[in-house]
Amino acid sequence: MKAELEAILQPYDQTHVLRFWDELDSAAQQSLADQIKAIDFEQLKTLAGSSGGASKWDELAAKAEVPPAITADDFANPESYQAAYDLGQAALKAGKVAMVLVAGGQGSRLGFEHPKGMFPVGPLSDRTLYNMLIDQLLARGKQAGKPIPFYIMTSPPTHAETSQFLADNDYFGMNPDDVTIFCQGTMPAVDSDGKLLLSDKGTIFASPDGHGGTLGALKRDGCLDDMKSRGIEHVFYGQVDNPLIQACDPALLGYHIESGSEMTSQVVRKHDPMLKVGNVVVVDGRTQIIEYSDLPEQYAKQTLPDGSLKLWAGSIAVHVFERSFLERTSDQADALPFHHAHKKVAFVDSQGTLVKPTENNATKFERFIFDLLPSAKNAIVCEVDPADGFCAVKNAPPAPSETPQHVKDAIVALHTRWLEEAGITVADGVKVEINPLFALDVNQLKDKLSTEDSITEDRYFV
Ligand code: UTP
């Protein structure tokens, strides 16, 4: 077997991964052989020798405009909003909507030792991210009279524990037939010489291939076919770490459908030009994202005559896709390019010693789902106020933003505002949390709490 593997590795100068072959037992040898055979060395060689799709950002940014947008003003216009809401609600009622959740990341910044979806973040309920999201899908499905099929993408590091956790919790009330857990692929990393790294003597280091891995994994695992057989036409996409996400929001779905868009991105309005979010722009008629790190300051700071930022649309990684669009692009192998990320990766050196580098020593290769935008017909963006729809759990305390405490505070602030809009006062310092199965919005809250006029102690509405 060793000779066969050497023949694969030799042309790519990667035989060092067999350095400890003779020390491995037969199971470990078989595992290493499987890892080697699964690698596309030609692709890896091309990637290692490329610059990671570095574009001429200055030139692109100079031409960048904001794509067609549904703004907060449209959402605030009762006629426009109602028409969109009705359209979206009709799609939900017809069972044409599914949700895809990406949960394959390793949550390294949060430093939680389990998959991030298991992190408890309900300010009073202590519900986990999974529980909070599923409550929302159940509430939306109940309102529409049709369940919303839920597709969860894990990765090899998060798959087994996520599957077990959801099963142990009876899928938080969802019918297991409506929950599909599928696993994304991995990509090996290389050092500065383009060489593979060993994380132990029999394991080639590999990490999840980015949230863009969703496209290939949806296809490979039969999820796109399953969606088709269920009559799904619109796919709502979100990330596991944002409990404020307005999952399958009828108005967002409606605006997407109304505009004939194949891919709609929810965005926040940037007030700080240097805000660390991807900028959704149109260049030469094609919608795309320019990452904050790639947008030169002079272009980020451009303003319109009214003083507002010209490139105002910041991506929050919430999208609506047409299923047919995902099918079409999943057939085009190169629809999503790989990006390079320079990271610290622990490795076993030639002496067999584990080295934990203090500087970036490796290049990882990741695909990003937003790279589908240029391929989408009629792509639009839809504005959301972050206070209503975006606050992600990313960092461990004492980080200045996106810690669990920031997220809990944002949930309490939103639900306090809902109560106040429903005509109920909330005493200072009192915390409230509303389960979507109790009320999904202010109108439902008004109906439920018609006899109350003030809340004076902490309360979880469930
Ligand atoms: P992030 O890039 O924020 O990664 O992913 P993360 O894993 O949550 O956290 P860090 O960066 O390691 O601290 C954004 C979303 O994309 C998913 C994550 O699960 C998260 O929902 N993701 C990321 C994947 O599903 N697969 C990947 O390969 C990467």
Side-chain angles (χ1 to χ4, degrees), residues 189-213:
V190 293
D191 68 12
S192 55
D193 297 324
K195 296 277 180 70
L196 293 166
L197 295 152
L198 287 175
S199 48
D200 62 46
K201 290 180 176 178
T203 309
I204 296 170
F205 175 85
S207 56
D209 57 1
H211 42 66

Side-chain angles (χ1 to χ4, degrees), residues 101-111 116-117 130 153-155 158 184-186 207-214 237-242 317 343 364-369 392-395 402:
L101 183 79
V102 292
Q106 289 170 293
S108 44
R109 284 169 287 172
L110 183 62
K116 218 192 242 184
Y130 274 125
M153 186 176 80
T154 57
S155 60
T158 65
Q184 73 180 104
T186 57
S207 56
D209 57 1
H211 42 66
T214 315
Y237 166 104
Q239 303 192 153
V240 71
D241 51 17
N242 174 20
K343 301 272 168 141
K364 291 185 179 180
F365 304 104
E366 292 188 351
R367 286 181 151 138
F368 298 156
I369 196 75
V393 185
K394 296 281 185 198
N395 301 316
E402 300 192 314

Side-chain angles (χ1 to χ4, degrees), residues 85 89 92-93 134-149 173-174 178 247-248 250 435-440 444 448 462:
Y85 185 96
Q89 189 62 8
L92 285 159
K93 280 192 171 142
I134 290 178
D135 281 345
Q136 222 188 119
L137 287 180
L138 286 172
R140 283 266 169 247
K142 204 165 135 196
Q143 190 186 41
K146 271 277 179 343
I148 299 173
M174 265 195 128
D178 292 329
C248 302
N435 186 306
L437 288 157
F438 182 84
L440 264 167
Q444 288 188 4
K448 283 274 175 73
V462 64

Side-chain angles (χ1 to χ4, degrees), residues 392-415:
V393 185
K394 296 281 185 198
N395 301 316
S401 64
E402 300 192 314
T403 65
Q405 193 55 50
H406 287 113
V407 172
K408 288 179 186 183
D409 292 347
I411 296 167
V412 171
L414 174 63
H415 292 168

Side-chain angles (χ1 to χ4, degrees), residues 66-72 75 246 252 264-270 275 277-281 287-289 312-319 373 380-386 389-390:
V66 167
I70 307 295
T71 65
F75 277 86
Q246 299 170 336
L252 175 60
T264 295
S265 293
Q266 206 176 32
V267 293
V268 293
R269 184 170 290 274
K270 288 173 59 183
L275 189 72
V277 289
N279 297 275
V280 190
V281 300
T287 306
Q288 66 177 86
I289 284 192
W312 61 266
S315 170
I316 58 165
V318 171
H319 312 284
L373 273 169
I380 58 163
V381 295
C382 276
E383 183 181 353
V384 65
D385 182 340
F390 179 60

Side-chain angles (χ1 to χ4, degrees), residues 369-382:
I369 196 75
F370 59 66
D371 280 327
L372 282 176
L373 273 169
S375 306
K377 291 184 198 128
N378 304 325
I380 58 163
V381 295
C382 276

